[in-house]
Amino acid sequence: MMRKLLAFVLILNLTACAELQSVVDQLPQQTGSILSNADMAAGLRQALDLGIDKQVSKLTLKNGFFKNELVKILLPEELQKIDKGLRDIGLGNLADEGLKVLNRAAEDAVKEATPIFVSAVKDITFNDAKNILLGNDNAATQYLTGKTQTELYNKFKPVINTSFSKVGADQIWANLINKYNAIPLTNNVNPDLTDYVTGEALKGVYTMIAVEEKEIRNKVSSRTTDLLRKVFALQD
């Protein structure tokens, strides 16, 4: 009786093992070595470093903002009628020069961004990486925004202020905006153009990082290292 029982248990075990192996055989096989938690975090760091290197660095070049329609800084919406008015009477060059002042200041400021981003990227944990990887197309950019926005603002603003002061743009625009705000029935515009351009510069930086993140997520050809290919294959 005992022998029959042992034989029955053995058959059950063998059957269970066979069924388990069948399930395992049907699972997608990971090529190469299995990704560790550290690998996943390193892959996300690599992706963000690539975005910073390829996209943010472009913004620091001459016309990095001004010639990039994704991030070009325009006048506040309420003042764009002034820009249009200048162009309507043939003073488009003057309007462009006014916009160049804003965009040049942003290009100067973004040079302060890279060390702050590098520090934030180094702090990515496995849990951060997992949430980012399984998030939407700009989850990594949102992570960086939360980690760096305040520090970047504090770095950008004095650089932009100095850039404006060199050409007297801050006072010129402040006077213009204050006069506009005095017109009845108009929506007041922030007379602190430095604050406005700082905010627009920040938007531009995060926009370009999001561009690279989306490329890496959606185009296998943009995953230029083995680690990127392995990590982002998990979200495909």
Side-chain angles (χ1 to χ4, degrees), residues 77-97:
E77 185 177 355
E78 296 87 348
L79 292 181
Q80 286 181 19
K81 63 182 69 175
I82 298 173
D83 181 90
K84 183 178 183 301
L86 289 172
R87 297 182 191 281
D88 286 346
I89 60 174
L91 295 177
N93 287 340
L94 181 61
D96 282 341
E97 287 306 312

Side-chain angles (χ1 to χ4, degrees), residues 119-130:
S119 177
V121 169
K122 285 180 180 177
D123 289 340
I124 289 178
T125 65
F126 165 67
N127 284 334
D128 293 329
K130 182 174 64 174

Side-chain angles (χ1 to χ4, degrees), residues 53-86:
D53 184 57
K54 285 183 64 177
Q55 301 296 346
V56 178
S57 59
K58 291 178 184 177
L59 297 177
T60 67
L61 303 176
K62 185 176 180 180
N63 291 323
F65 273 84
F66 189 67
K67 294 291 186 180
N68 184 338
E69 293 303 317
L70 284 177
V71 298
K72 182 178 180 180
I73 299 175
L74 304 175
L75 291 176
E77 185 177 355
E78 296 87 348
L79 292 181
Q80 286 181 19
K81 63 182 69 175
I82 298 173
D83 181 90
K84 183 178 183 301
L86 289 172

Side-chain angles (χ1 to χ4, degrees), residues 137-194:
D137 277 354
N138 69 340
T141 305
Q142 290 174 342
Y143 169 85
L144 271 189
T145 302
K147 291 288 185 180
T148 64
Q149 191 167 31
T150 299
E151 189 174 0
L152 282 180
Y153 180 92
N154 292 335
K155 283 283 188 179
F156 281 16
K157 191 170 183 179
V159 175
I160 289 171
N161 187 58
T162 298
S163 182
F164 284 165
S165 296
K166 287 178 184 176
V167 294
D170 51 345
Q171 195 57 52
I172 291 170
W173 281 110
N175 290 339
L176 178 64
I177 292 170
N178 284 329
K179 287 179 181 177
Y180 175 85
N181 287 345
I183 299 173
L185 304 179
T186 58
N187 295 321
N188 281 359
V189 180
N190 185 355
D192 185 354
L193 198 64
T194 300

